[in-house]
């Protein structure tokens, strides 16, 4: 009896925390940062689904209308996960209508003409399975917007806290889907699992509030009140070309510290210049130099394999070379070489 009470408390608390966080993100979504709005809605529909599970598990005689609402909420979990990750990755407004309105219309029509109270078998055999399948499809589609984070893993770059945040959201939602999808083989009650996920979000939220990065997916201005004067800007502008002229980027281990040492300026000033003036990170700047080198090799060398070409351009592996080349040029090395040959 006591164990059941504890399970109910933990499960219900997870859903309650979800509602609180949903409200928190909605209210504090400043400057139209759309990732926050979608995250708020994601937590809301997740919490509705979870609270339905909790009360149904402990009270099987729960009104069927609440069961229908809880199940219907699932149809928006996948879309809001997808929209949250997409709006963050693209750093701007995301078209949401086609990902939300059609599903709302479909579930409303089904709920009206085939209410759960009278058609439980249809819901169990078809509608719920279709909802979980749609949820899974969006989980798979959302992977696309985590590629930059996975790329950082491959390149052994440091992850930002914001990267960890979105990975946690993605895998948290995926785990909840798995728990529901496998409920027939395990247990219907997944509130405790959901609570763990929500609690983790709260902990991350508190970490954000107490670090130099600001909350709500807006990086703090790293160099505020540390503006460089015109003379310093001109000096760095003249010096930074040395990286390209001497082809220092061909060293696979070339980093910001070595660059600063070679240019005889502080690491901080070089980083500030690249970030603020060039509008990119040091690693992206070096990748661009390497891709330009690769393009020249593709135009002049006909006997090099693409793998060798990547190594000769400063990349550490074939996969990182192909990924960077496609990202920067929009073409694969083979496609670029083919288009160049046609132009000649």
């Amino acid at each position: 009896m006591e164990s059941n009470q504890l399970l109910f408390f933990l499960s219900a608390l997870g859903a309650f925390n979800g509602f609180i966080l949903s409200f928190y993100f909605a209210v504090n979504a400043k400057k139209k940062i759309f990732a926050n709005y979608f995250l708020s809605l994601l937590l809301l529909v997740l919490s509705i689904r979870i609270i339905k599970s909790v009360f149904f598990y402990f009270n099987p005689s729960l009104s069927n209308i609440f069961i229908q609402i809880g199940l219907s909420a699932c149809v928006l979990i996948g879309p809001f996960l997808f929209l949250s990750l997409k709006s963050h990755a693209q750093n701007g407004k995301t078209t949401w209508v086609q990902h939300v309105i059609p599903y709302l219309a479909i579930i409303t029509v089904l709920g009206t003409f085939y209410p759960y109270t009278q058609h439980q078998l249809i819901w169990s055999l078809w509608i719920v399975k279709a909802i979980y399948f749609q949820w899974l499809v969006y989980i798979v589609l959302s992977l696309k917007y985590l590629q930059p984070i996975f790329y950082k893993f491959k390149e052994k770059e440091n992850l930002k806290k914001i990267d960890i945040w979105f990975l946690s959201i993605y895998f948290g939602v995926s785990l909840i889907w798995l728990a529901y999808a496998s409920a027939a083989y395990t247990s219907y009650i997944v509130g405790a699992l959901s609570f763990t996920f929500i609690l983790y979000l709260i902990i991350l939220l508190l970490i954000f509030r107490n670090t130099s990065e600001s909350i709500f997916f807006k990086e703090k201005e790293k160099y505020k009140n540390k503006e460089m004067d015109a003379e310093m800007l001109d000096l760095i502008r003249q010096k930074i070309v040395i990286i390209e002229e001497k082809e220092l980027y061909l060293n696979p281990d070339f980093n910001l510290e070595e660059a600063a040492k070679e240019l005889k300026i502080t690491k901080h000033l070089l980083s500030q210049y690249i970030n603020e003036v060039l509008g990119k990170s040091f690693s992206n700047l070096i990748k661009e130099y390497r891709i330009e080198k690769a393009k020249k090799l593709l135009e002049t060398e006909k006997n090099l394999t693409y793998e060798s070409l990547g190594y000769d351009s400063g990349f550490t592996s074939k996969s990182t070379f192909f990924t960077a080349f496609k990202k920067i040029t929009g073409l694969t090395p083979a496609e670029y070489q083919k288009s160049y040959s046609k132009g000649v």
Side-chain angles (χ1 to χ4, degrees):
M1 185 68 178
E2 288 184 1
S3 61
N4 277 346
Q5 289 176 343
L6 179 62
L7 183 59
F8 176 80
F9 172 76
L10 291 175
S11 304
L13 185 59
F16 176 74
N17 285 332
F19 284 120
I20 296 298
L21 269 180
S22 174
F23 177 76
Y24 185 69
F25 277 105
V27 170
N28 289 279
K30 300 174 182 177
K31 298 182 181 178
K32 293 188 177 180
I33 301 173
F34 283 86
N36 293 337
Y37 291 121
F38 295 130
L39 179 57
S40 172
L41 292 167
L42 170 62
L43 290 171
L44 177 63
V45 291
L46 265 175
S47 299
I48 291 171
R49 179 63 178 90
I50 292 163
I51 204 71
K52 171 260 168 188
S53 299
V54 173
F55 283 102
F56 181 72
Y57 182 80
F58 290 97
N59 179 22
S61 61
L62 183 69
S63 172
N64 285 331
I65 188 64
F66 291 111
I67 296 175
Q68 182 174 319
I69 291 171
L71 291 172
S72 299
C74 285
V75 81
L76 294 177
I77 294 174
F80 284 139
L81 170 68
F82 175 82
L83 290 168
S84 177
L85 293 173
K86 183 180 180 182
S87 59
H88 168 67
Q90 296 182 346
N91 196 29
K93 188 174 180 179
T94 299
T95 305
W96 58 271
V97 174
Q98 68 266 36
H99 295 287
V100 175
I101 300 301
Y103 298 121
L104 273 179
I106 291 168
I107 203 66
T108 301
V109 170
L110 287 174
T112 302
F113 291 97
Y114 298 93
Y116 185 84
T117 52
Q118 301 168 23
H119 302 276
Q120 292 185 26
L121 189 61
I122 292 177
W123 276 77
S124 299
L125 291 178
W126 300 104
I127 299 177
V128 172
K129 288 181 179 178
I131 289 173
Y132 285 162
F133 177 73
Q134 176 250 24
W135 184 353
L136 176 61
V137 168
Y138 271 100
I139 286 175
V140 174
L141 291 175
S142 298
L143 270 173
K144 173 183 176 182
Y145 299 105
L146 294 177
Q147 290 303 312
I149 301 176
F150 296 144
Y151 184 71
K152 287 183 181 180
F153 272 116
K154 287 183 180 179
E155 291 289 290
K156 296 180 181 179
E157 294 181 19
N158 292 330
L159 293 182
K160 295 180 180 178
K161 292 184 179 69
I162 197 71
D163 297 329
I164 298 171
W165 173 273
F166 277 104
L167 281 175
S168 301
I169 291 170
Y170 179 82
F171 287 112
V173 172
S174 300
L175 279 173
I176 293 173
W177 175 87
L178 182 62
Y180 277 122
S182 61
Y185 310 101
T186 54
S187 171
Y188 184 74
I189 185 65
V190 292
L193 170 65
S194 305
F195 166 72
T196 303
F197 166 55
I198 300 298
L199 182 62
Y200 186 33
L201 285 182
I202 293 172
I203 292 169
L204 284 175
L205 186 63
L206 293 173
I207 291 172
F208 271 117
R209 293 197 65 172
N210 293 292
T211 58
S212 57
E213 289 183 21
S214 65
I215 183 177
F216 303 120
F217 319 130
K218 187 79 174 174
E219 297 288 335
K220 187 178 179 181
E221 295 177 55
K222 290 169 72 175
Y223 309 109
K224 192 176 181 181
N225 300 324
K226 295 181 181 178
E227 295 182 1
M228 293 182 285
D229 56 34
E231 188 178 343
M232 179 58 69
L233 284 170
D234 190 52
L235 177 65
I236 298 175
R237 189 181 297 112
Q238 292 175 35
K239 286 192 170 189
I240 202 167
V241 297
I242 294 173
I243 296 175
E244 189 173 14
E245 288 173 353
K246 291 188 175 182
E247 296 190 331
L248 302 175
Y249 55 85
L250 294 182
N251 175 7
D253 300 318
F254 188 63
N255 56 37
L256 180 65
E257 192 170 347
E258 290 181 14
K261 200 176 291 184
E262 182 72 30
L263 303 183
K264 296 181 174 57
I265 53 178
T266 67
K267 187 167 69 171
H268 173 81
L269 282 174
L270 179 58
S271 176
Q272 183 177 356
Y273 179 87
I274 294 171
N275 278 267
E276 292 187 349
V277 179
L278 301 184
K280 60 192 73 174
S281 67
F282 176 78
S283 62
N284 283 337
L285 176 67
I286 297 306
K287 283 172 196 169
E288 288 177 8
Y289 285 146
R290 288 171 178 166
I291 294 304
E292 285 303 312
K293 176 68 175 181
K295 285 162 67 176
K296 290 175 183 175
L297 291 173
L298 282 168
E299 294 165 9
T300 56
E301 301 291 335
K302 304 299 180 184
N303 299 321
L304 276 178
T305 63
Y306 294 125
E307 188 171 7
S308 299
L309 192 142
Y311 289 130
D312 288 350
S313 303
F315 289 95
T316 54
S317 70
K318 181 180 177 180
S319 61
T320 54
F321 166 56
F322 270 60
T323 303
F325 197 96
K326 176 78 173 178
K327 185 177 180 181
I328 291 172
T329 66
L331 302 169
T332 64
E335 289 169 343
Y336 178 85
Q337 194 171 46
K338 189 176 180 181
S339 65
Y340 177 80
S341 299
K342 283 183 179 179
V344 174

